[in-house]
Amino acid sequence: MDTNWLPNLEMPGARAKHQAIGLSIREAISGGELAAGDRLPPVRDVAWRLGVTPGTVARAYKDLVDQEVLVSGVGRGTFVAGAARPAYPPAGLPYMMVATPPDILNLSTAQVAHVGQGEVLHRLMLELPPPVGEDYVRYPVPEDDLVLRRFMAERSGGEDHGQIEADDVVLTAGAQQALVTALMTVLHGPRPVILTEELSYPGIRHAAALMRAEIRGVPLDDEGPLPEAFDRIAAETGAQVFVTSANAHNPTTIQTSRARREAVAEIVRARGMQILEDDCFGYAQAGLPGYRLLVPERAWVATSLSKAISPDLRLGALIGTPGRTIAARTAAQQQFFGIPRPVRELVMRAMETGAAEEIQARVKAKTQERVETTRAALGRFGIVTRDFVPFGWLPMPRGWRASSFLQAAERQCIRLKPADEFALIDGRAPNAVRLAFTAVAEDEAYAGALRRLAALLDKPVVTMEA
């Protein structure tokens, strides 16, 4: 059940407010005020009522999730752990992908558009050649993926990232592993610092946690990261790497301007940092030079096929510049030895036959169709969209708080992603939500969801409760 219980900040032995909140939750559980399965109040509600920052509450909740006292579900809230916890999503794994309940329309996950790729890939699997010699009885070696690295180099090269050679490419099991592999390669010392935009997709936070690294946010505006703030924070923290999404920032859709890219590149070079550019939405047509061109000796690019072809393939790439990828390739091989032969051969077949290019073109067209549908339905409410980007950023109109809007949408069987989930610990979350456009396959179901959201936005909660 939901609860209006509120933590007590005056807890003996607590040296900080987040610790007091955590101790208060533990005491309430042991005293029976909170039971297994009870839903805790939303982070922003607790923060407002206690007069603390949302980051303070989020940190307390996260600590207890890590300790398995609480369980947190994407889009569902935070619950007291125990036998009565909700079936969706599975508990205790805050960054695991989870199944969406069948009665929920998923506008939360930025998933690839459904364009029949399953049928195409199945047909290609049936056409794969039979094994020869020691196929399927030995471990992969670097020479095995040379052709696939050439394909990925050709696919990722161009006006934004320049000429890419096969030896510049390290294949990974998706972009998230490319991110982790890059951090394994460039970070050093007991407590390294990573910078990223003050709003960023959760995978960056979890990659930082795996590396036992501190993460700090850089303020941004409509042109991208603010150079003065970036330089100041880099100097204060001694940060070693900046992780950024310059072409299509997730969640705001911002494209970093050329001037900002050049300013950031200068600071990265002057501070002796590395820069990792997440370009999973590369088909969004940047038309601007990436950091691999602006500061090649310090730049890496993470990309994958997940948003353009299929996430089930689990194929990504970490791209460096000549002579810089040996350590990264070693780090990748020490994690998983190499891309599995069936995946490697299926993707090569898709690229050789042109099927991969055809699927990506369909995905791009379908994504744009959904962008235009969303603009028509929600444009009057100020939703921020970009051509070919499969999600939008919706600042809440007057009368709505993001937490209340999410609950109202959930009652309409629609799942969204709040700004809180993109904020760093102790960071600020704007009053906004992100909508993903392509996870719902059926056009009419998606259009119906937009109509229900528009009806909600037309009747703010202050009016509904009057």
Side-chain angles (χ1 to χ4, degrees), residues 43 60 75 108 119 188 209 276 303 316 338 432 448 456 459:
V43 166
S108 173
E119 292 80 0
H188 55 85
L276 173 59
T303 186
L456 287 175
K459 296 180 180 179

Side-chain angles (χ1 to χ4, degrees), residues 178-187 194 204 207-208 211 241 243 276:
L179 171 58
V180 173
T181 300
L183 296 180
M184 291 176 65
T185 303
V186 304
L187 294 180
I194 297 168
I204 297 175
M211 301 305 300
V241 63
V243 183
L276 173 59

Side-chain angles (χ1 to χ4, degrees), residues 7-47:
N8 175 20
L9 286 178
E10 303 299 326
M11 295 296 296
R15 298 187 302 275
K17 291 178 180 178
H18 76 275
Q19 293 175 336
I21 293 171
L23 289 172
S24 179
I25 293 171
R26 284 183 174 276
E27 184 177 272
I29 293 171
S30 63
E33 292 179 78
L34 294 175
D38 278 354
R39 185 181 189 275
L40 272 68
V43 166
R44 294 192 68 85
D45 289 358
V46 174

Side-chain angles (χ1 to χ4, degrees), residues 200-210 213 215 420-425:
S200 61
Y201 81 101
I204 297 175
R205 299 199 305 272
H206 294 288
L210 284 174
I215 189 165
D420 284 358
E421 295 194 22
F422 299 96
L424 304 180
I425 293 295

Side-chain angles (χ1 to χ4, degrees), residues 155 175-176 201 277-283 302-304 306-308:
R155 176 182 181 273
Q176 183 68 18
Y201 81 101
E277 184 173 353
D278 175 2
D279 196 30
C280 288
F281 300 101
Y283 60 87
T303 186
S304 81
S306 295
K307 300 299 190 295

Side-chain angles (χ1 to χ4, degrees), residues 382-460:
I383 190 168
V384 181
T385 61
R386 279 259 318 282
D387 284 352
F388 306 108
V389 175
F391 54 84
W393 185 239
L394 180 61
M396 289 289 93
R398 183 179 177 84
W400 276 111
R401 298 300 303 172
S403 57
S404 300
F405 186 69
L406 259 67
Q407 292 171 6
E410 190 88 10
R411 289 192 291 270
Q412 296 286 329
C413 296
I414 301 168
R415 180 166 295 172
L416 307 171
K417 193 177 287 288
D420 284 358
E421 295 194 22
F422 299 96
L424 304 180
I425 293 295
D426 293 329
R428 296 177 299 171
N431 186 29
V433 299
R434 192 198 71 178
L435 280 74
F437 303 157
T438 51
V440 175
E442 300 80 10
D443 289 340
E444 182 50 41
Y446 181 70
L450 293 181
R451 287 194 294 270
R452 296 202 294 277
L453 291 178
L456 287 175
L457 292 166
D458 271 329
K459 296 180 180 179

